[in-house]
Structures are given as C-alpha cells and as structure tokens.
Amino acid sequence: MVVLTATGATVLAGPGASGAEAASVCSGRPQKTVGFATGELRVYKNRGYACAVTVAKKPGARRAMSVSLQSRGGNPVVDSGDYTHRAGPVTVHALNRCVRATGVVSGKKGSTGWILC
C-alpha cells in the first residue's frame, strides 16, 4: 500500500495502483470506497463536485469496465469501454445534492446508493 502526504491530505492507494495515479485521477477527499469481486469503486468530493472511478483488482487484460455517477435530480455521467486498469474519472456537480455511483468490472458490480446527502 502506498501512502502519499501532500499539503496535509493523505491519499491511500491499493496494490496495483501507483500513488501518483491515485492522487491525480480524482481531486478531493475520498468519501466512499466499495470493493467487489473484480474491482473497487472510489468516490471523492471536492467543493461542489463529486468524482468517481472504477479500478480493476487485477490490471492487465482488456475487459469491459464502467463507472457511473449521478447527482440527485440529474442524469448519470458514464464512462464505459474495454479498459486494462480503470474506468473514469467521471465528475458531477454535487453542491447540496446526494450522489450515487456504480462501478462494473467484467460483469461484477459495486454501488453506493445515495451518499453525501
């Protein structure tokens, strides 16, 4: 596990993710991490915005991956395709709004339900 400290914020990155990549993909503070059989869904919040990314547990071969992020009352923002490591990031306006996120890797998924309310 890699731990980076920058300007008083601590960012944790799991195995297989470089610390620099984990720190630069989504800005803000980690709010929720949902692990599932084939990957991990990570949600961050920075000021009035939320950001989400799906990361594969075993990077390497291309496979179907997606990440979806929706603020309450808005349409979901989706990134999907055949990726080797991650899908996303996707960002939505979340000032005074709940958000929900879903991540999929090879047909297995994880989701948050409504959070940041």
Side-chain angles (χ1 to χ4, degrees):
M1 179 161 301
V2 177
V3 179
L4 297 175
T5 304
T7 64
T10 303
V11 176
L12 299 176
S18 72
E21 178 186 0
S24 65
V25 173
C26 281
S27 65
R29 292 178 176 252
Q31 298 296 309
K32 181 102 175 169
T33 300
V34 177
F36 52 98
T38 54
E40 193 172 79
L41 170 65
R42 301 175 187 166
V43 180
Y44 300 81
K45 183 150 187 206
N46 184 17
R47 297 185 182 139
Y49 292 88
C51 177
V53 63
T54 299
V55 181
K57 277 191 179 175
K58 294 181 181 176
R62 287 195 173 275
R63 69 201 110 175
M65 295 178 69
S66 70
V67 62
S68 170
L69 183 62
Q70 178 182 11
S71 61
R72 191 169 296 229
N75 292 322
V77 177
V78 179
D79 178 32
S80 64
D82 291 332
Y83 300 115
T84 59
H85 180 66
R86 69 173 160 77
V90 293
T91 304
V92 297
H93 187 264
L95 185 63
N96 300 319
R97 292 183 186 173
C98 303
V99 299
R100 65 178 171 188
T102 302
V104 180
V105 177
S106 299
K108 306 290 184 190
K109 76 175 188 174
S111 59
T112 62
W114 291 109
I115 59 172
L116 307 180
C117 296

